Amino acid sequence: MKSIRPRHDDPIIPEDIEARDLPKEARVELKTLSKDNADEVARHLVMAGRLIDTDPESAHQHAVSASRRAGRVAVVRETLAITAYATGDFALALRELRTYRRISGSNDQLPLMVDSERGVGRPDRALELGRSVERSTLPVDVQVSLAIAMSGARLDLGQPEAALAELEIPQLDPDRAFAYSADLFHAYAEVLEELGRDDDAVRWRDRAQRAEIALDQAHAADELETVDIVEEDVFFEADDTDDTDETEEMGEAPRESDDEQHQELEQEGEPDDGAVSTEQ
């Protein structure tokens, strides 16, 4: 008997959501599709990104719709995995992350894979997976996320001392904060609490909160992402990195027509994601 594919009703996309709202590097991945299909997939991906924090179930429905139209595109499978993880469907997240990794050849979602293994109740497999890739080959922010996921797996196994050791990495700098620092500090504090080192935990919680405040202020002021943390005040640290096109990063560039956008994608070289760097 021929199987019948379950029906999926596409969620509604507001009319003001446009394909060009998707980051440029993701749109480049979609240029293998027909223009109309690429635009529709892009709009679903935009909605998934906008809803992931407030309504993960709806975000997941948009990701499913995108995957039905572009299941062989890496960014689509990545989005489906992330939304599945957000809804607590760790088995689906793990399956989609494996597919994303196979299509893209990238290990940048390795921490989420480790955490998904934890989610399905396999902390030993999570640790094995986390050790399967040389840490130095990963971007710094991914290294930090992986350390946090590995620490969580150690806690799952009742190994708090080993969990603490997983987090004692070069990026655990109490005096400086990067985009990843608050999460790392909070994770370190959590393990310290597990070990009964409450006073130390309080100090790291305080550092995490000050890092969050400092980085929020830096983003609001359009400062760069590295800040010094001191006990009384926080001072922004200057950086000599080149400024990218601020108009494009803030999403204020003049909007081109759909035809112009499609032509632009055909001519683009490396995409500019406008993301904030977290490297030291």
Side-chain angles (χ1 to χ4, degrees), residues 24 46 73 93 98 183 193 208 219 267:
K24 187 184 296 183
V46 170
V73 177
R98 287 170 179 158
D183 288 341
E193 289 173 353
H219 286 301
Q267 298 173 347

Side-chain angles (χ1 to χ4, degrees), residues 217-245:
Q217 292 174 347
H219 286 301
D222 202 23
E223 297 282 350
L224 295 173
E225 67 281 1
T226 309
V227 296
D228 287 331
I229 301 178
V230 294
E231 294 302 322
E232 298 299 329
D233 295 294
V234 177
F235 298 95
F236 297 110
E237 182 176 270
D239 197 324
D240 293 330
T241 54
D242 291 336
D243 291 333
T244 55
D245 188 335

Side-chain angles (χ1 to χ4, degrees), residues 58-120:
S58 294
H60 184 60
Q61 291 305 308
H62 282 286
V64 170
S65 292
S67 71
R68 289 169 67 88
R69 291 173 169 81
R72 296 183 180 181
V73 177
V75 69
V76 173
R77 302 305 284 265
E78 180 184 29
T79 302
L80 183 58
I82 292 171
T83 59
Y85 178 89
T87 64
D89 191 343
F90 302 114
L92 177 59
L94 190 57
R95 187 183 74 197
E96 293 300 323
L97 286 167
R98 287 170 179 158
T99 302
Y100 163 72
R101 189 185 194 188
R102 184 174 65 251
I103 294 173
S104 68
S106 172
N107 286 311
D108 60 356
Q109 289 295 351
L110 184 62
L112 201 61
M113 295 180 71
V114 170
D115 230 24
S116 295
E117 287 284 11
R118 292 180 60 208
V120 296

Side-chain angles (χ1 to χ4, degrees), residues 72-214:
R72 296 183 180 181
V73 177
V75 69
V76 173
R77 302 305 284 265
E78 180 184 29
T79 302
L80 183 58
I82 292 171
T83 59
Y85 178 89
T87 64
D89 191 343
F90 302 114
L92 177 59
L94 190 57
R95 187 183 74 197
E96 293 300 323
L97 286 167
R98 287 170 179 158
T99 302
Y100 163 72
R101 189 185 194 188
R102 184 174 65 251
I103 294 173
S104 68
S106 172
N107 286 311
D108 60 356
Q109 289 295 351
L110 184 62
L112 201 61
M113 295 180 71
V114 170
D115 230 24
S116 295
E117 287 284 11
R118 292 180 60 208
V120 296
R122 298 194 295 248
D124 285 320
R125 289 274 294 275
L127 292 173
E128 182 180 351
L129 177 61
R131 291 191 294 263
S132 69
V133 175
E134 175 59 45
R135 297 276 182 101
S136 63
T137 65
L138 302 172
V140 174
D141 59 330
V142 177
Q143 292 181 37
V144 173
S145 296
L146 181 58
I148 294 171
M150 296 286 279
S151 178
R154 294 289 189 184
L155 287 180
D156 293 343
L157 293 169
Q159 302 171 357
E161 292 286 356
L164 196 69
E166 294 282 0
L167 297 172
E168 291 174 339
I169 56 179
Q171 292 80 23
L172 189 71
D173 186 341
D175 300 320
R176 304 178 74 202
F178 297 82
Y180 51 71
S181 297
D183 288 341
L184 180 59
F185 295 171
H186 277 303
Y188 198 63
E190 179 181 349
V191 180
L192 289 169
E193 289 173 353
E194 188 73 17
L195 290 166
R197 295 169 55 181
D198 293 341
D199 290 343
D200 289 336
V202 168
R203 281 192 288 273
W204 281 97
R205 290 283 187 206
D206 180 63
R207 287 178 179 127
Q209 291 170 2
R210 284 187 280 115
E212 289 170 346
I213 293 170

